[in-house]
Amino acid sequence: MYTQRVLSGMRPTGRLHLGHYHGVLKNWVRLQSEYECLFFVADWHALTTHYDDPSVVENNVWEMVVDWLAAGINPNQTTLFVQSKVPEHAELHLLLSMCTPLGWLERVPSFKDQQDKIKDKDLSTYGFLGYPLLQAADILMYRADQVPVGEDQVPHVEFTREIARRFNHLFGGEVDFEKKALEASKKLGGKRSRLIVELRQNFQEKGDEVSLERAKAVLQEAQNLTFDDREILYGYLEGAKRLILVEPQPLLSASSKLTGLDGMKMSKSYGNTIGMREDTDTLVSKLKRMPTDPARVRRKDPGEPEKCPVWGLHRVYSSERDLNWVKQGCNSASIGCLECKKPLIDAILSEQKKFKERARPFEEDLGIVKNIISDGCEKARELAKQTMRDVRECMKLDYS
Ligand code: TRP
Ligand code: SF4
């Protein structure tokens, strides 16, 4: 069976917080056992807004990858890499830029939003405008089927689909398709290869859909085909143009935003975060000082969890039983706020313990992290080279 490929990236913001864990990383960890996953550090994307301060990027890259590993991302299962170490991304970005209408970029919502929001930087740059196109290159490079992203990134995936469609339309028919298909079908062995040719004829000459389905099933089951072979053979069966670039789907995670220490969404820019590897004393004191429902001035005043920032964390960390205990205890003022926070603090501490245990070997020897990334870059680069070969070929740039 062909496993779908999942790709996602994160800008290197340094150490991650619990919002990142519950909003993104937990999801990545789940995906890694269901799909072929590639996760990467979008360090060039960081430069689109931090071009004036590039010296912080390196440290942020390593700190962030340690947090990925602390979250339970398994480098034996998943390919982890750094964008700038796979320079093919830059080449694809450049080639795609040739056929990207300016208006498409200007209409991506994040372009205006960020320019309005970030006032202390000049974002009227070529690099910033090209942000979504660089992201499209990241995704299309690996022919990713699914891209797990937050809601804010969905327009970027949508944009990527449009770029793929346009590219395929402009250049897609040009690859020497028949020859490649016959080559790929040889890997199926004589018997199955002849079967494919026969079934294809039934479909293309007599319109027999059943033959098409049967042929597809044969390809699905074939173990020894690469992703590319299978794509080529699908195209061959249907007689369509070869799809050079694959349109990805956004994969929205169900998890909502985690509440920060002040009741707003947890975010570095609000200064209301709890780190994934926070110092224990700081963590406990942050949680103890966390504001509660303002109605509970005195211990005997009843409160409403819905009006309390602590509740937002309880909802993520506590069992149904504890949630009921909080609701009743708060409404009836039978528990105090510190008492209410106790099970939450314990739950967060035990989660931190797991993170710290996983992170320890990497903190002690960053060389291990660097090796993981360098292995991942090598794997990613192999895939990237295949795509670039096809892209150059269909754009007639493969001359020498
Ligand atoms: N723009 C994404 C973010 O800010 C990061 C990113 C860059 C990305 N390239 C990507 C995400 C490719 C998914 C796929 O979160
Ligand atoms: Fe918040 Fe719990 Fe205090 Fe109620 S009892 S106000 S939910 S901390």
Side-chain angles (χ1 to χ4, degrees), residues 292-293 296 303-305 308 310-311 314 326 329-330 335-337 340-341:
T292 62
D293 177 356
R296 296 206 71 181
E304 284 174 59
C308 173
V310 181
W311 178 245
H314 263 305
V326 171
C330 183
I335 59 169
C337 287
C340 174
K341 288 175 177 178

Side-chain angles (χ1 to χ4, degrees), residues 11-16 59-61 63-65 67 268:
R11 274 171 298 168
T13 47
R15 289 199 171 210
L16 301 180
N59 189 44
N60 285 350
V61 169
E63 290 284 13
M64 187 169 83
V65 175
D67 278 332
K268 198 167 156 188

Side-chain angles (χ1 to χ4, degrees), residues 118-129:
I118 304 174
K119 283 280 171 240
D120 57 334
K121 284 189 186 119
D122 181 6
L123 293 184
S124 313
T125 59
Y126 183 54
F128 185 70
L129 178 68

Side-chain angles (χ1 to χ4, degrees), residues 18-51:
L18 296 181
H20 294 118
Y21 176 70
H22 290 283
V24 183
L25 292 175
K26 215 166 56 175
N27 197 31
W28 285 12
V29 171
R30 195 170 47 75
L31 291 169
Q32 69 180 347
S33 45
E34 290 169 35
Y35 297 98
E36 178 196 350
C37 288
L38 296 119
F39 299 126
F40 75 98
V41 182
D43 57 343
W44 278 337
H45 276 104
L47 294 181
T48 61
T49 48
H50 290 72
Y51 55 87

Side-chain angles (χ1 to χ4, degrees), residues 324-339:
N324 283 326
W325 170 78
V326 171
K327 252 187 254 170
Q328 284 176 0
C330 183
N331 289 155
S332 63
S334 64
I335 59 169
C337 287
L338 269 184
E339 198 179 345

Side-chain angles (χ1 to χ4, degrees), residues 184-230:
S185 81
K186 280 198 197 120
K187 294 190 194 160
L188 292 166
K191 212 167 130 203
R192 277 188 300 175
S193 160
R194 277 192 299 277
L195 181 62
I196 290 284
V197 174
E198 195 180 305
L199 290 169
R200 175 181 184 254
Q201 250 170 1
N202 286 348
F203 171 63
Q204 294 205 336
E205 290 166 17
K206 303 177 204 138
D208 178 13
E209 300 271 348
V210 178
S211 292
L212 176 65
E213 289 316 309
R214 269 185 64 201
K216 281 186 178 173
V218 172
L219 296 183
Q220 278 279 324
E221 278 155 26
Q223 298 282 342
N224 56 340
L225 289 180
T226 63
F227 181 84
D228 277 32
D229 290 338
R230 197 171 275 112

